[in-house]
């Protein structure tokens, strides 16, 4: 069962080949069997079986949808009523949200079954899943390597077939980079397309939730449920949600692909460059035209991002004060001691580093020099993308400069870790949608192809991804031992 697509699973459920309870149990058994990967922070066994029972009743009557009875696992950044939500932090190790994130509510309404909550970097800060309070996640393609981050548990769970599909969030690359390192398909939607209500905030002007699945076809099904305007999120965009599956088979004849020359500089591993070249050739065969374009301010993306994201996180994380919810230190002497020790004891090193950087960048005297400057750079980067996307329909390039790196290999050098997102971060600064697609292997490890589109063109991106997946088999590869 675990090798079936969502469409096949939905068919199996409808034709009574298996029930949702049987399907859910099969996934719970796999999750249990592959515990060593550390993909899950919480497995919601009872809750899942309860939901599956209800879905079976719904399936027996009319009105069942494509996701009715389908198990889905959620990144532990989405608040789930009744199931612990930790955001990968000791700070929220005891936190049970009193409400559901809009995304969770939408999956519940669709009849999906929540298998549990997936491991992630602490407060989504990281590119390797190693900043999680709950420990590193192993990449199923090579268990000595990282799955990428921050949605590392999400990507590894799909690659190891522990869930048919999952959710992730992407502030600077956290859907695309782990999707790339684990050989799965990930979509980071346009900023504002998926509600952020109940999705624990890291950097509010950049954060965006999206689907991670084996194929574009499955990602389209999740996207249909996740997308849409939400009055509870003031940055959510009131715009019609298209049918994401309807155009999957559209022809790519005449598609104009731009290759930003800055994506193919000396920082890119040559094996990855050749995998991308082969993928682009595949698109030529499908009728696409290729053109070189330029994003001249790309090199400023990482410094601008780390000022903006840290500034926003320092404000967002001020709510964890040891008073209202989350961790509280023992026996505080006074209020200051309560704040200092609660935060000091419960936040990990990376989160503290970001809060310090962000507070510094926002402080009087430095605000103009860092924060305002970074916002100006952000504008320039958005301008580069508008220019490039006025010349072509989509941009293509690598997702990550390397394949999966070793667990522990980059933990001592934060700058080295920040560079892992060099090709993804600019997209968030501009708020554009982008995908990562499995596009081959280098040294037996998956390589991802990035496809970046204009605002609200998720349907076209999914179509472009699906057409590639009709003529290549990379997305169907399963890591050895997880078949
Ligand atoms: N790796 C980047 C960071 O550490 C992006 C994280 C993300 O997208 N959540 O901030």
């Amino acid at each position: 069962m675990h090798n079936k697509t969502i469409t096949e699973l939905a068919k199996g459920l409808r034709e009574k080949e298996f029930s949702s309870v049987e399907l859910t149990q099969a996934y719970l058994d796999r999750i249990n069997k592959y515990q060593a990967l550390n993909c899950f922070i919480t497995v919601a066994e009872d809750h899942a079986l309860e939901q599956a029972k209800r879905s079976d009743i719904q399936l027996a009557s009319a009105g069942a949808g494509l996701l009715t009875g389908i198990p889905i696992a959620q990144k532990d950044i989405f608040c789930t009523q009744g199931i612990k939500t930790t955001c990968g932090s000791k700070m929220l190790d005891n936190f049970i949200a009193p409400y559901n994130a809009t995304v969770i509510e939408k999956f519940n309404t669709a009849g999906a079954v929540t298998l549990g909550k997936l491991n992630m970097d602490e407060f989504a800060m990281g590119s390797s899943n190693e900043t999680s309070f709950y420990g590193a996640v192993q990449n199923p393609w090579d268990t000595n390597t990282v799955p990428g981050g921050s949605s590392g548990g999400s990507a590894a769970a799909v690659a190891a077939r522990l869930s048919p599909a999952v959710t992730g969030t992407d502030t600077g690359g956290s859907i695309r980079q782990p999707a790339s390192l684990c050989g799965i398909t990930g979509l980071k939607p346009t900023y504002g397309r998926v509600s952020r209500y109940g999705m624990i905030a890291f950097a509010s002007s950049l954060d965006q939730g999206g689907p991670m699945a084996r194929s574009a076809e499955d990602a389209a099904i999740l996207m249909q449920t996740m997308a849409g305007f939400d009055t509870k999120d003031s940055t959510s965009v009131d715009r019609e949600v298209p049918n994401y599956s309807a155009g999957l088979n559209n022809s790519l004849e005449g598609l104009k692909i731009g290759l930003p020359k800055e994506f193919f500089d000396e920082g890119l591993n040559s094996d990855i460059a050749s995998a991308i070249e082969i993928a682009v050739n595949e698109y030529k065969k499908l009728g696409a035209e290729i053109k070189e374009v330029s994003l001249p301010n790309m090199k400023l993306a990482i410094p601008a991002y780390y000022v903006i994201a840290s500034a926003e996180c320092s404000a967002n994380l001020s709510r964890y004060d040891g008073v209202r919810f989350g961790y509280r230190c023992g026996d505080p002497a006074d209020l200051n001691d309560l704040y200092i020790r609660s935060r000091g004891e419960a936040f990990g090193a990376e989160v503290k580093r970001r809060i310090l950087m962000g507070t510094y960048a926002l402080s009087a005297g430095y605000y103009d020099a860092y924060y305002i400057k970074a916002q100006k750079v952000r504008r320039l980067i958005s301008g580069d993308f508008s220019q490039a996307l006025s010349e072509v329909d989509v941009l293509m390039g690598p997702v990550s400069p390397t394949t999966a790196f070793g667990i522990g290999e980059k933990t001592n050098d934060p700058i080295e870790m920040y560079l892992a997102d060099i090709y993804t971060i600019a997209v968030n600064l501009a708020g554009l949608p982008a995908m990562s697609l499995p596009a081959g292997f280098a040294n037996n490890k998956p390589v991802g192809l990035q496809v970046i589109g204009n605002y609200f063109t998720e349907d076209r991106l999914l179509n472009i991804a699906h057409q590639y997946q009709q003529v290549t088999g990379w997305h169907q590869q399963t890591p050895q031992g997880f078949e």
Side-chain angles (χ1 to χ4, degrees):
M1 273 192 277
H2 60 267
N3 280 316
K4 288 194 188 324
T5 66
I6 294 181
T7 312
E8 288 164 352
L9 289 175
K11 189 161 172 275
L13 286 170
R14 213 153 305 143
E15 290 174 0
K16 307 225 169 353
E17 228 179 281
F18 43 80
S19 69
S20 175
V21 168
E22 283 162 351
L23 180 62
T24 302
Q25 191 59 57
Y27 275 105
L28 289 168
D29 292 345
R30 267 184 89 76
I31 293 167
N32 193 32
K33 179 169 170 196
Y34 296 109
Q35 262 182 40
L37 292 174
N38 202 22
C39 291
F40 281 79
I41 292 175
T42 304
V43 181
E45 187 155 354
D46 295 345
H47 177 93
L49 290 169
E50 198 48 53
Q51 275 188 321
K53 253 187 237 159
R54 262 183 278 144
S55 298
D56 278 330
I57 296 170
Q58 210 180 329
L59 281 159
S61 64
L66 257 182
L67 282 180
T68 309
I70 305 286
I72 301 285
Q74 304 286 354
K75 184 174 181 179
D76 206 14
I77 198 167
F78 290 101
C79 286
T80 41
Q81 201 172 12
I83 309 170
K84 190 164 85 154
T85 301
T86 69
C87 218
S89 183
K90 180 178 178 184
M91 184 57 89
L92 293 177
D93 185 47
N94 62 2
F95 178 61
I96 298 183
Y99 67 96
N100 281 324
T102 296
V103 163
I104 301 292
E105 207 54 58
K106 282 172 173 272
F107 277 111
N108 286 349
T109 307
V113 170
T114 303
L115 288 171
K117 307 295 291 291
L118 295 158
N119 205 342
M120 56 179 284
D121 278 301
E122 185 177 8
F123 286 102
M125 299 173 196
S127 308
S128 67
N129 212 111
E130 292 166 292
T131 72
S132 170
F133 173 62
Y134 302 91
V137 171
Q138 298 177 347
N139 186 324
W141 290 96
D142 174 350
T143 52
N144 294 314
T145 63
V146 303
S150 65
S151 312
S154 301
V158 174
R161 314 296 187 243
L162 308 187
S163 181
V166 299
T167 54
T169 63
D170 192 312
T171 303
S174 283
I175 286 178
R176 290 160 288 156
Q177 187 256 12
S180 171
L181 270 46
C182 289
I184 67 158
T185 306
L187 166 63
K188 178 248 173 241
T190 308
Y191 181 77
R193 179 77 289 187
V194 169
S195 169
R196 291 186 299 109
Y197 179 74
M199 191 179 105
I200 295 177
F202 160 14
S204 311
S205 77
L206 300 159
D207 298 342
Q208 187 61 200
M212 300 171 80
R214 271 159 41 211
S215 64
E217 195 180 9
D218 282 356
I221 295 170
L222 260 70
M223 192 56 194
Q224 204 66 51
T225 293
M226 296 176 78
F229 177 58
D230 182 8
T231 50
K232 294 183 188 136
D233 170 4
S234 61
T235 57
S236 147
V237 177
D238 191 359
R239 185 182 167 117
E240 206 183 322
V241 176
N243 181 332
Y244 291 112
S245 303
L248 289 177
N249 289 317
N250 289 351
S251 155
L252 300 188
E253 198 61 56
L255 174 76
K256 290 200 193 71
I257 297 175
L259 301 180
K261 61 172 193 268
E262 294 78 6
F263 276 26
F264 298 90
D265 57 11
E266 65 288 356
L268 182 64
N269 178 307
S270 61
D271 290 350
I272 296 188
S274 43
I276 301 299
E277 198 180 316
I278 295 170
V280 170
N281 273 328
E282 208 61 63
Y283 276 103
K284 272 194 212 158
K285 288 191 226 152
L286 291 169
E289 298 160 21
I290 316 294
K291 184 178 173 184
E292 187 184 89
V293 295
S294 175
L295 301 169
N297 294 294
M298 259 290 288
K299 59 181 180 304
L300 303 175
I302 289 200
Y305 169 88
Y306 276 95
V307 171
I308 295 169
S310 302
E312 292 184 18
C313 99
S314 73
N316 275 325
L317 270 58
S318 65
R319 73 192 59 168
Y320 305 103
D321 55 7
V323 177
R324 289 163 292 187
F325 49 82
Y327 180 84
R328 179 179 297 173
C329 67
D331 283 332
D334 56 28
L335 189 60
N336 264 335
D337 186 43
L338 168 76
Y339 291 153
I340 292 166
R341 281 204 292 122
S342 297
R343 289 168 68 83
E345 289 165 20
F347 284 142
E350 185 58 30
V351 171
K352 286 179 186 161
R353 186 176 298 125
R354 307 274 180 119
I355 293 174
L356 287 173
M357 285 197 290
T359 312
Y360 180 80
L362 288 178
S363 56
Y366 294 106
Y367 184 81
D368 291 338
Y370 295 108
Y371 186 70
I372 298 289
K373 192 66 151 281
Q375 292 290 19
K376 288 182 178 164
V377 170
R378 183 175 194 174
R379 185 61 164 264
L380 290 176
I381 288 170
S382 300
D384 286 356
F385 277 112
S386 329
Q387 176 57 40
L389 289 167
S390 70
E391 296 168 35
V392 293
D393 301 316
V394 288
L395 305 175
M396 286 190 188
V399 175
S400 163
T402 65
T403 52
F405 44 90
I407 293 178
E409 197 180 311
K410 296 190 183 188
T411 39
N412 291 329
D413 186 350
I415 304 284
E416 177 81 1
M417 191 69 88
Y418 298 168
L419 289 173
D421 297 313
I422 189 148
Y423 303 122
T424 53
I425 267 175
V427 168
N428 300 73
L429 290 170
L432 292 165
M435 288 189 76
S436 174
L437 317 179
F441 291 83
N443 293 324
N444 299 319
K445 296 192 186 85
V447 173
L449 168 74
Q450 184 169 208
V451 189
I452 305 167
N454 222 327
Y455 300 103
F456 299 100
T457 57
E458 288 81 2
D459 47 351
R460 184 64 166 153
L461 291 181
L462 287 161
N463 159 228
I464 291 168
H466 180 69
Q467 288 307 301
Y468 178 74
Q469 293 182 340
Q470 295 306 100
V471 293
T472 57
W474 303 120
H475 65 293
Q476 281 157 339
Q477 308 279 317
T478 314
Q480 216 180 2
F482 298 91
E483 293 88 354

